[in-house]
């Protein structure tokens, strides 16, 4: 089998922007298995978010940056600064939201750092959904500290697997957390959601798995949401 030279530094982001006014992001790719059309991995579970308001501007800007790079665009940035691409918004929705991105083009691992901040700041509960659980030392240490501090940590991973080696690696980390008191839920199918909720108040979701590759090698995007009332 030939070596896949494109395995690293891939764009793993999932972004849809419609008329500059409506945005979608989350875990879903446009392919048959993500649409539940492959029986081997069914039922497939994913999580996405529909966005309206000022956060769409940030999502549009991220898409545009990737698009311009991919086509070697020579237009001046002012070419895109029109109401067709970036309409104005009334930011009175009452939900605080931030779009964050990370990738090998930036030394800051912004999405991982956001997750760590949420984990170490949690007082009561942490809930995680991820298809692959291979955290680095910082994330793993943060989760262990949270459990030892009395925070209830729940992790949901899939029963059906698409990569055997990744699955067994994930189970090693999960067993370590279970030994400390974490609760693990096994989804009876394939769960592709990438979600972290802290204290039922702060939520991040998007394209970033809780694994080392997503943290530092892939180009990823997430949103962070704080709602006035409980998220879930």
């Amino acid at each position: 089998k030939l070596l896949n030279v494109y395995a690293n530094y891939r764009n793993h982001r999932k972004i849809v922007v419609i008329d500059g006014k409506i945005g979608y992001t989350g875990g879903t790719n446009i392919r048959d298995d993500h649409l539940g059309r492959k029986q081997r991995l069914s039922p497939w579970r994913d999580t996405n978010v529909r966005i309206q308001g000022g956060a769409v501007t940030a999502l549009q800007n991220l898409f545009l940056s990737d698009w311009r790079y991919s086509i070697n665009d020579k237009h001046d940035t002012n070419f895109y600064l029109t109401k067709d691409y970036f309409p104005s918004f009334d930011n009175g929705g009452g939900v605080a939201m931030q779009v964050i991105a990370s990738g090998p083009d930036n030394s800051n691992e912004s999405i991982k750092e956001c997750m760590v901040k949420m984990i170490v700041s949690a007082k009561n509960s942490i809930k995680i959904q991820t298809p692959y659980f291979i955290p680095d030392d910082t994330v793993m240490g943060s989760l262990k500290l949270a459990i030892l501090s009395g925070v209830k940590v729940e992790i949901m991973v899939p029963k059906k697997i698409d990569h055997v080696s990744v699955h067994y690696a994930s189970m090693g980390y999960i067993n370590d957390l279970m030994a400390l008191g974490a609760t693990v839920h096994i989804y009876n199918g394939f769960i592709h959601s990438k979600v972290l909720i802290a204290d039922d108040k702060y939520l991040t979701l998007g394209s970033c798995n809780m694994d080392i590759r997503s943290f530092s090698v892939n180009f990823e995007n997430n949103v962070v949401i704080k709602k006035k009332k409980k998220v879930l």
Side-chain angles (χ1 to χ4, degrees):
K1 186 176 181 179
L2 295 176
L3 177 67
N4 184 357
V5 298
Y6 300 105
N8 292 329
Y9 311 128
R10 65 172 178 161
N11 192 325
H12 192 241
R13 293 167 180 161
K14 297 90 166 64
I15 297 172
V16 175
V17 179
I18 302 169
D19 293 337
K21 298 178 180 179
I22 299 172
Y24 291 89
T25 192
T28 303
N29 294 305
I30 302 175
R31 45 186 281 182
D32 283 348
D33 51 356
H34 288 234
L35 299 175
R37 294 175 180 172
K38 284 195 175 180
Q39 188 63 35
R40 185 177 71 85
L41 295 177
S42 292
W44 184 285
R45 176 71 170 87
D46 224 319
T47 302
N48 301 282
V49 62
R50 183 181 190 268
I51 303 169
Q52 289 181 271
V56 179
T57 298
L59 208 61
Q60 176 80 302
N61 186 59
L62 182 58
F63 174 86
L64 192 57
S65 177
D66 288 342
W67 174 258
R68 295 186 68 208
Y69 175 79
S70 67
I71 66 171
N72 193 26
D73 185 24
K74 302 300 184 183
H75 285 107
D76 185 83
T77 53
N78 289 326
F79 176 82
Y80 297 100
L81 297 179
T82 70
K83 64 180 181 180
D84 294 328
Y85 290 105
F86 295 98
S88 59
F89 293 99
D90 175 15
N91 291 320
V95 176
M97 178 180 292
Q98 181 178 3
V99 175
I100 53 176
S102 63
D105 59 338
N106 194 319
S107 59
N108 294 323
E109 297 176 339
S110 301
I111 297 177
K112 186 193 83 171
E113 291 164 0
C114 169
M115 291 181 177
V116 170
K117 176 64 174 178
M118 290 174 64
I119 292 168
V120 300
S121 299
K123 304 297 183 184
N124 302 304
S125 66
I126 297 166
K127 300 172 184 175
I128 296 169
Q129 287 183 324
T130 181
Y132 317 113
F133 186 77
I134 308 179
D136 65 5
D137 291 343
T138 304
V139 175
M140 191 66 174
S142 299
L143 287 167
K144 287 181 177 180
L145 181 61
I147 296 170
L148 295 172
S149 300
V151 177
K152 184 178 181 181
V153 173
E154 298 181 78
I155 304 172
M156 183 178 292
V157 292
K159 180 178 181 180
K160 296 184 178 180
I161 57 178
D162 58 345
H163 298 294
V164 175
S165 60
V166 175
H167 172 74
Y168 284 113
S170 297
M171 289 300 105
Y173 290 99
I174 285 173
N175 286 337
D176 287 348
L177 294 181
M178 287 179 65
L180 293 177
T183 300
V184 177
H185 306 278
I186 306 297
Y187 178 73
N188 189 23
F190 188 76
I191 190 160
H192 195 253
S193 301
K194 302 93 161 54
V195 177
L196 189 155
I197 304 171
D199 290 340
D200 290 337
K201 187 188 302 182
Y202 301 95
L203 162 70
T204 184
L205 67 86
S207 70
C208 187
N209 295 305
M210 190 162 281
D211 65 23
I212 297 170
R213 181 174 295 275
S214 284
F215 290 154
S216 59
V217 179
N218 294 340
F219 292 88
E220 306 280 4
N221 74 282
N222 269 41
V223 295
V224 185
I225 302 170
K226 178 187 177 184
K227 197 171 182 179
K228 289 182 178 179
K229 297 181 180 179
K230 286 187 176 182
V231 177
L232 291 177

